């Protein structure tokens, strides 16, 4: 959407990932450009989460390369990848239930980096006002929506350049989904590049620039959201509408 | 009244060392998910290093305390060394494999300690300024007890501050909940692990050093404390430091009051308290249910397969060799000596014992740290019948598995309520209680002197006859266990292991199946115990000691949990190695070093080694989610 030529910040090429003998990701490639929001669309079990975990170093890939800002991060450990500027928000939230909201944020805290927006708890409370009211609440005693906000805020504390957001709308009430969409747009405005995974086409369309459709661990379609909106056949073939 | 107060205070003071060791164990487990068997060894090292440090620094009013802290720090560094040199290389190996590694460390530390400090018990230095006694309500209490009473709450408060008021502590608590997520947030877990190992080990070292004025240092401290520490951790709740504190105080009080009420049965009281706690709070006073999952991914199990032709041929060949060995002995005694028969008898006995343990560990998914209870239980059941009823071997041989099964029914009733590491620790605690009963109840069991005169009946009294009898029982036992595993019961058991929720959903009473399996396993271990007691002609409490439980565990793990041949190979290899090394001085060191070497060289176990042949059937190690 920017006027200048797109500059890739995250590039995954020819990923192959296995769970045991099961070949889950097959020759999967995608590019995320600077300032873009790109969505991986696909049904349950398509391989969206596995893609994100592979990129993040949480699952070992058998083949393929991942570059972040031009640097090869293939096979690096998760904490190295995180410190290189990649933020990961897992689909199952994985907040630290026994820790307070503030402590959860503390775990995510990493030094500032010059090329990324800097977050403090106060700034994040501005973005997620409900969290501000429960700083000392045990995270395990918050609602699903609040936990979803917390998991995003916690990752932002690492001041990432690139954000991997795994199904942020899953299981949330419509109001919260709208709030999440607004958050993603705000983060994009801050200059973050975001890779999203979604089943909710409506939500994806509202926030994304481009889409990849994943099915059985392969990329089946790539295009702008506008192009996808015009292509009923692709939608009907690969997505549950 | 005065007596009551003083007993109370004595109990609280005796709890200090226990609390320090148990909290360290709990902290290390919380983050690394490793049950550090070597934790008792760290406690022992703390005591020995403490003695030397006091000598070096001089036991003056300040020197003494500096020496204690030096001992704690030194043990902390030893823990770090274990982490960096050993554990760090095998975090990606299956969890049970890490147990083997820490077990190797126990053996190595035992011999290093013996080598440096000798076999004599060391008298602990006295704490300057606290050598006298105070009088409370007319009763005397050593001043040093007051110091010990103060130590636990101080340490508890310090730990609380560390975990709740520092970034490091917050990270550790987060890692205890979900360490993979912590690393995805940019935290290098390696430093967390190293720090945690330092802290946990230093606490054990402090425990060992600080009890010096009361207890001194001896070579049995490692195993003596570890069972009590496991009880404390189980009663208090895994990973809960506050729970460890409460439980340590409880057990400490129980022991001092217990001695006054029942001089010989303090351990039974401990057992009763643990039982009551576990009935009402299966995860301990302040613990939480074990959450299976995040960051700990076990390799999926390859299904057990009935023996294929190749295996049957190998099995038949082995059996043929076994049957022909005595013939060879008669023909060429110079080549196949009496000792060969003795060794093979011993190997066969441990094969049966290991197979019994494997029965619940592999297919049942229940790891027992205390299976010697049933091995020794069987042995003692037979020996007691001989001693008090002059029962002939034919009767005692049936009594052994029956007695072991009864014991397993009792212990199992509690154990199967728990899962995973809680289960394992509880089995160890029970086994240690059984051991203590045998050890303490001298009038009946002979205590340390054991029971002598358990010789086979005339027809089986020759070496060769007993040899054939052993082979017969062991082969029959193995086939029976195998048969059960491929019967519907065995399938149900495995289904429950792989997916407890699904098994429950289709109406399987998993706990009951596990209880039955535990009992069956106990019975076969008891049979092995009977074979053992008649092969030796005597039985001693060592038949039940922790080291024997760990041996069995090692046999199963080294051989491979995922195959039925694993325990056979593991027991053979380990018994043979034991025999080989036992003639050497410092054989523990050699055995421990061999174990550690094996673990480092073959992080996938003998399974990995067998990739080329034997272990093929165990299934290649699959790609796993990185337990980062
Ligand atoms: N730990 C695992 N072990 C084995 N197979 C797995 C594991 N995790 C996922 N799979 C399998 O990998 C495939 C891809 O799963 P993945 O979680 O990546 O899908 P997804 O697109 O994120 O689905 P969803 O929309 O339901 O989150 C699925 O078939 C799933 O069953
Ligand atoms: Mg998913």
């Amino acid at each position: 959407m920017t006027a200048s030529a797109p500059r890739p910040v995250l590039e995954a090429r020819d990923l192959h990932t296995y769970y045991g003998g099961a070949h889950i990701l097959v020759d999967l490639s995608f590019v995320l450009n600077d300032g873009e929001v790109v969505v991986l669309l696909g049904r349950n079990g398509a391989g969206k989460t596995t893609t994100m975990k592979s990129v993040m170093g949480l699952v070992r890939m058998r083949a393929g390369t991942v570059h972040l800002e031009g640097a090869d991060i293939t096979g690096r450990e998760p904490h190295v990848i995180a410190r290189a500027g990649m933020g990961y928000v897992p689909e199952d939230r994985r907040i630290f239930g026994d820790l307070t909201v503030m402590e959860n944020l503390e775990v995510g805290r990493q030094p500032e980096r010059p090329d990324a927006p800097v977050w403090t708890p106060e700034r994040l409370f501005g973005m997620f006002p409900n969290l501000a009211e429960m700083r000392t609440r045990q995270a395990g005693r918050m609602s699903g929506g609040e936990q979803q906000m917390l998991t995003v805020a916690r990752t932002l504390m690492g001041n990432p350049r690139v954000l991997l957001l795994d199904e942020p709308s899953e299981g949330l009430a419509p109001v919260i989904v709208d709030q999440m969409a607004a958050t993603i747009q705000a983060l994009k405005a801050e200059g973050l590049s975001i890779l999203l995974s979604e089943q909710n086409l409506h939500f994806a369309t509202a926030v994304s620039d481009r889409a990849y459709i994943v099915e059985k661990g392969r990329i089946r379609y790539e295009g702008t959201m506008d192009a996808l909106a015009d292509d009923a056949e692709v939608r009907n073939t690969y997505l549950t509408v | 009244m005065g007596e009551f107060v003083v007993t109370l205070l004595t109990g609280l003071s005796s709890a200090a060392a226990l609390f320090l060791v148990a909290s360290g164990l709990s902290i290390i487990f919380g983050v690394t998910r490793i049950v550090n068997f070597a934790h008792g060894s760290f406690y022992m090292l703390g005591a020995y290093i403490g003695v030397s440090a006091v000598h070096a620094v001089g036991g003056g009013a300040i020197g003494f305390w500096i020496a204690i802290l030096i001992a704690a720090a030194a043990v902390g560094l030893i823990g770090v060394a274990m982490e960096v040199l050993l554990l760090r290389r095998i975090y990606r190996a299956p969890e049970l494999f890490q147990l083997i590694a820490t077990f190797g460390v126990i053996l190595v530390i035992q011999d290093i300690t013996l080598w440096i400090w000798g076999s004599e018990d060391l008298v602990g230095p006295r704490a300057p300024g606290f050598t006298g006694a105070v009088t409370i309500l007319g009763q005397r209490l050593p001043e040093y007890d007051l110091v010990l009473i103060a130590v636990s709450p101080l340490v508890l408060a310090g730990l609380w501050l560390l975990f709740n008021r520092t970034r490091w502590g917050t990270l550790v608590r987060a890692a205890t909940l979900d360490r993979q997520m912590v690393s995805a947030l940019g935290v290098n877990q390696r430093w967390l692990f190293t720090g945690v190992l330092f802290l946990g080990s230093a606490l054990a070292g402090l425990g060992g050093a600080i009890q010096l004025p009361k207890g001194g240092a001896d070579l049995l401290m490692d195993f003596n404390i570890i069972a009590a520490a496991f009880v404390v951790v189980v009663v208090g709740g895994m990973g809960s430091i506050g729970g460890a504190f409460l439980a340590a105080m409880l057990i400490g009080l129980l022991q001092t009051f217990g001695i006054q009420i029942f001089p010989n049965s303090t351990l039974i009281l401990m057992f009763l308290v643990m039982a009551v706690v576990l009935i009402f709070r299966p995860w301990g006073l302040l613990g939480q249910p074990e959450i299976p999952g995040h960051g700990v991914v076990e390799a999926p199990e390859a299904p057990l397969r009935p023996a294929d032709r190749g295996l049957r041929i190998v099995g038949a060949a082995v059996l043929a060799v076994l049957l022909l060995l005595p013939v060879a002995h008669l023909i060429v005694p110079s080549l196949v000596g009496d000792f060969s028969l003795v060794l093979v008898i011993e190997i066969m006995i441990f094969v049966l014992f290991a197979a019994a343990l494997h029965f619940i560990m592999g297919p049942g998914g229940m790891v027992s740290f205390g299976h010697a209870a049933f091995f020794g239980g069987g042995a003692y059941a037979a020996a007691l019948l001989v001693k008090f009823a002059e029962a002939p071997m034919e009767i005692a041989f049936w009594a052994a598995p029956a007695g072991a099964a009864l014991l397993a029914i009792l212990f199992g009733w509690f154990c199967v309520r728990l899962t995973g590491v809680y289960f394992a620790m509880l089995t160890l605690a029970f086994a240690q209680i059984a051991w203590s009963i045998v050890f303490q109840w001298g009038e009946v069991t002979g205590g340390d002197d054991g029971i002598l005169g358990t010789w086979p009946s005339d027809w089986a009294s020759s070496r060769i006859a007993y040899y054939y009898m052993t082979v017969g029982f062991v082969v029959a036992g193995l086939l029976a266990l195998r048969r059960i595993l491929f019967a519907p019961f065995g399938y149900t058991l495995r289904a429950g292991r792989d997916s407890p929720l699904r098994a429950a959903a289709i109406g399987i009473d998993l706990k009951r199946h596990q209880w039955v399996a535990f009992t069956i396993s106990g019975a076969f271990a008891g049979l092995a115990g009977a074979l053992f007691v008649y092969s030796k002609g005597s039985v001693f409490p060592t038949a039940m000691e922790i080291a024997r439980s760990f041996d069995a565990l090692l046999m199963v793990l080294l051989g491979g949990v995922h195959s039925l041949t694993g325990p056979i190979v593991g027991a053979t290899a380990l018994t043979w190695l034991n025999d080989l090394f036992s003639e050497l001085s410092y054989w523990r060191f050699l055995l421990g070093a061999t174990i550690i070497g094996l673990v480092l060289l073959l992080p996938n176990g003998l399974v990995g080694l067998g990739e080329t042949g034997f272990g093929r059937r165990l299934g290649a190690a699959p790609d796993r989610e990185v337990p980062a």
Side-chain angles (χ1 to χ4, degrees):
Chain A
M1 299 285 133
T2 42
S4 55
R7 187 179 68 86
V9 287
L10 177 62
E11 266 188 288
R13 221 170 286 140
D14 306 334
L15 307 189
H16 287 267
T17 299
Y18 291 72
Y19 285 123
H23 197 165
I24 304 294
L25 298 188
V26 185
D27 215 15
L28 186 143
S29 305
F30 68 85
V31 177
L32 174 67
N33 291 313
D34 193 18
E36 249 187 338
V37 177
V38 167
V39 63
L40 298 173
L41 286 165
R43 298 196 178 111
N44 283 328
K48 308 181 292 293
T49 298
T50 307
T51 303
M52 295 203 166
K53 284 188 172 173
S54 303
V55 167
M56 196 62 211
L58 293 169
V59 168
R60 230 178 299 174
M61 296 176 286
R62 207 172 274 185
T65 57
V66 183
H67 285 82
L68 179 64
E69 302 274 8
D72 189 354
I73 55 165
T74 313
R76 307 304 300 269
E77 290 179 83
H79 73 270
V80 177
I81 295 175
R83 289 180 183 182
M86 189 109 72
Y88 169 66
V89 180
E91 68 182 324
D92 39 4
R93 297 179 192 137
R94 295 172 73 166
I95 50 129
F96 304 113
D98 288 354
L99 273 56
T100 64
V101 168
M102 282 305 275
E103 286 173 334
N104 268 274
L105 296 181
E106 174 63 24
V107 177
R109 182 165 65 84
Q110 289 291 326
E112 301 177 8
R113 88 185 65 246
D115 57 348
V118 176
W119 299 94
T120 59
E122 290 317 312
R123 254 198 99 193
L124 288 165
F125 290 145
M127 183 167 230
F128 305 106
N130 352 14
L131 292 185
E133 289 154 29
M134 39 184 83
R135 295 168 200 230
T136 56
R137 171 96 60 100
Q138 264 202 344
R141 303 200 176 156
M142 306 200 306
S143 74
E146 290 157 356
Q147 292 190 359
Q148 184 67 44
M149 299 297 162
L150 179 59
T151 183
V152 175
R154 181 181 64 180
T155 299
L156 288 175
M157 282 296 287
N159 306 316
R161 276 285 290 119
V162 172
L163 202 56
L164 307 176
L165 269 178
D166 200 351
E167 293 208 42
S169 76
E170 193 187 7
L172 297 182
V175 195
I176 316 275
V177 173
D178 291 345
Q179 209 177 327
M180 189 54 77
T183 303
I184 292 173
Q185 274 147 359
L187 293 175
K188 185 184 175 188
E190 289 275 348
L192 285 183
S193 314
I194 299 172
L195 181 72
L196 202 66
S197 101
E198 266 305 328
Q199 298 194 50
N200 180 340
L201 182 60
H202 180 72
F203 178 83
T205 309
V207 298
S208 319
D209 303 316
R210 287 192 299 125
Y212 289 90
I213 294 183
V214 189
E215 190 222 32
K216 293 191 181 147
R218 297 166 174 84
I219 299 289
R220 297 296 190 182
Y221 174 90
E222 175 192 348
T224 61
M225 289 320 284
D226 296 337
L228 182 61
D230 294 337
D231 199 334
E233 197 190 322
V234 167
R235 288 201 312 272
N236 293 336
T237 314
Y238 297 118
L239 305 175
T240 329
V241 184
Chain B
M1 184 61 197
E3 195 176 333
F4 174 81
V5 171
V6 165
T7 309
L8 187 83
L9 294 175
T10 309
L12 293 179
S13 77
S14 73
L18 203 50
F19 165 63
L20 291 171
V21 174
S23 61
L25 193 65
S26 213
I27 291 170
I28 292 178
F29 174 81
V31 176
T32 64
R33 296 281 134 184
I34 291 176
V35 178
N36 180 24
F37 276 153
H39 215 65
S41 309
F42 290 168
Y43 169 73
M44 178 172 78
L45 280 178
Y48 277 99
I49 296 177
V51 171
S52 297
V54 169
H55 281 299
V57 181
I62 301 176
F64 176 84
W65 299 107
I66 292 181
I68 300 275
L69 291 181
I70 289 177
V75 174
L77 291 179
I78 292 169
V80 169
M82 177 175 88
E83 201 269 338
V84 172
L85 299 176
L86 180 57
L87 300 181
R88 186 177 283 188
R89 293 158 200 275
I90 52 172
Y91 280 132
R92 290 186 179 185
E95 270 175 70
L96 287 174
F97 225 65
Q98 294 152 2
L99 286 185
I100 309 186
T102 62
F103 186 70
V105 173
I106 295 185
L107 297 174
V108 169
I109 290 181
Q110 273 177 346
D111 266 358
I112 291 181
T113 312
L114 174 65
W115 183 67
I116 297 180
W117 285 282
S119 58
E120 296 267 317
D121 293 0
L122 300 187
V123 179
R126 319 211 41 200
F130 300 98
T131 50
V134 290
T135 307
I136 296 173
L137 299 174
Q139 299 278 324
R140 290 169 66 75
L141 180 77
E143 283 171 350
Y144 194 70
D145 279 17
L146 295 176
V147 175
L148 289 179
I149 291 173
V151 163
S152 307
L154 283 178
V155 170
L156 180 66
L159 289 175
W160 189 89
L161 287 175
L162 181 64
F163 284 119
N164 291 282
R165 289 291 180 264
T166 67
R167 171 169 169 86
W168 186 82
T170 307
L171 294 180
V172 168
R173 280 193 297 138
T176 304
L177 296 168
D178 186 346
R179 64 189 202 201
Q180 195 189 45
M181 193 61 224
V182 170
S183 79
L185 289 169
V187 177
N188 185 353
Q189 296 190 73
R190 237 169 250 137
W191 289 109
L192 277 190
F193 279 32
T194 307
V196 158
L197 256 293
F198 179 83
L199 177 64
S201 311
L203 283 170
L206 181 64
I210 210 150
Q211 60 80 50
L212 276 173
K214 286 190 89 174
D218 64 72
L219 289 167
L220 297 176
M221 288 172 77
D222 51 353
F223 282 152
N224 282 347
I225 192 93
I226 196 78
F230 278 13
V231 171
V232 166
V233 168
V234 167
V235 169
M238 200 80 219
S240 163
I241 297 167
F245 180 81
L246 270 185
M249 296 304 136
L250 193 66
I251 302 281
L253 289 179
L254 211 64
Q255 278 173 343
T256 41
F257 278 106
I259 282 189
Q260 307 205 326
I261 307 166
F262 316 100
N264 279 332
S265 54
T266 52
L267 286 148
I268 307 216
L269 273 180
M270 190 152 109
F271 158 86
L272 281 177
V273 167
M274 187 169 70
V276 170
V277 168
L278 290 174
I279 288 170
F280 293 103
R281 293 197 60 95
W283 285 282
L285 293 174
L286 301 182
Q288 290 174 349
E290 192 173 34
I291 333 155
H294 290 317
V296 193
V297 181
E298 281 281 338
E301 296 240 332
L304 286 176
R305 262 169 271 153
D308 57 22
R309 258 189 64 205
L311 188 62
R312 275 166 206 261
I313 291 172
V314 173
V318 170
L319 190 59
V321 169
L322 282 176
L323 292 178
L324 290 177
L325 199 70
V327 180
H329 169 61
L330 291 177
I331 298 172
V332 273
S334 56
L335 206 64
V336 182
D338 193 44
F339 68 89
S340 313
L341 295 187
V342 173
L343 178 61
V344 173
I345 288 176
E346 184 144 335
I347 287 178
M348 292 303 286
I349 290 171
F350 285 111
V351 162
L352 182 58
F353 182 28
L357 176 58
H358 172 265
F359 181 78
I360 56 166
M361 258 177 82
M366 299 175 272
V367 180
S368 166
F369 288 174
H371 234 48
F374 310 116
F375 181 84
Y380 268 96
L384 288 171
L385 267 185
V386 172
K387 180 174 172 182
F388 290 103
E390 289 168 29
M393 182 182 85
E394 290 75 10
I395 290 178
F397 244 88
W398 291 114
L406 281 176
L407 209 57
I409 288 175
L410 175 68
F411 292 179
W413 189 81
F414 295 101
C415 293
V416 299
R417 296 161 160 256
L418 306 185
T419 55
V421 68
Y422 291 82
F423 176 94
M425 294 212 161
L426 192 56
T427 54
L428 182 126
F430 275 121
Q432 201 52 11
I433 285 156
W435 174 84
S436 315
I437 291 174
V438 165
F439 192 78
Q440 288 184 343
W441 203 11
E443 310 91 81
V444 174
T445 61
D448 206 14
D449 299 327
I451 298 174
L452 308 178
T454 51
W455 295 112
S457 302
D458 287 342
W459 63 267
S461 62
S462 78
R463 179 83 69 218
I464 291 182
Y466 197 74
Y467 175 95
Y468 279 120
M469 188 181 114
T470 305
V471 170
F473 268 113
V474 171
V475 169
L478 292 178
L479 290 176
L481 284 170
R482 207 185 167 85
R483 183 83 200 80
I484 300 171
L485 283 181
F486 288 107
F489 177 82
Y491 286 105
T492 312
L493 200 60
R494 276 177 275 153
R497 171 198 67 193
D498 293 337
S499 178
L501 292 181
R502 203 168 310 162
I506 57 175
I508 292 173
D509 185 348
L510 184 59
K511 294 287 164 220
R512 181 167 297 269
H513 277 81
Q514 289 178 332
W515 193 20
V516 173
F518 195 74
T519 305
I520 293 173
S521 170
F524 280 97
L527 180 61
L531 287 166
F532 182 76
V533 76
Y534 278 100
S535 76
K536 302 281 180 195
S538 57
V539 62
F540 300 98
T542 52
M544 263 190 196
E545 69 186 2
I546 299 187
R548 182 151 327 261
S549 293
F550 286 5
D551 275 350
L553 200 58
L554 211 55
M555 290 167 185
V556 173
L557 292 172
L558 277 182
V561 184
H562 301 323
S563 97
L564 294 177
T565 32
I568 300 178
V569 177
T572 307
L574 203 74
T575 312
W576 177 73
L577 264 184
N578 254 327
D579 183 72
L580 201 68
F581 287 154
S582 64
E583 326 214 320
L584 310 167
S585 41
Y586 299 115
W587 62 272
R588 286 194 204 85
F589 181 89
L590 283 173
L591 186 62
T594 307
I595 291 167
I596 292 172
L598 273 177
V599 167
L600 286 178
L601 291 175
L602 312 166
N604 291 318
L606 293 184
V607 180
L609 181 70
E611 222 68 297
T612 44
F614 169 77
R616 218 179 28 229
R617 69 189 70 259
L618 307 173
D623 293 26
R624 301 189 300 127
E625 223 176 304
V626 183

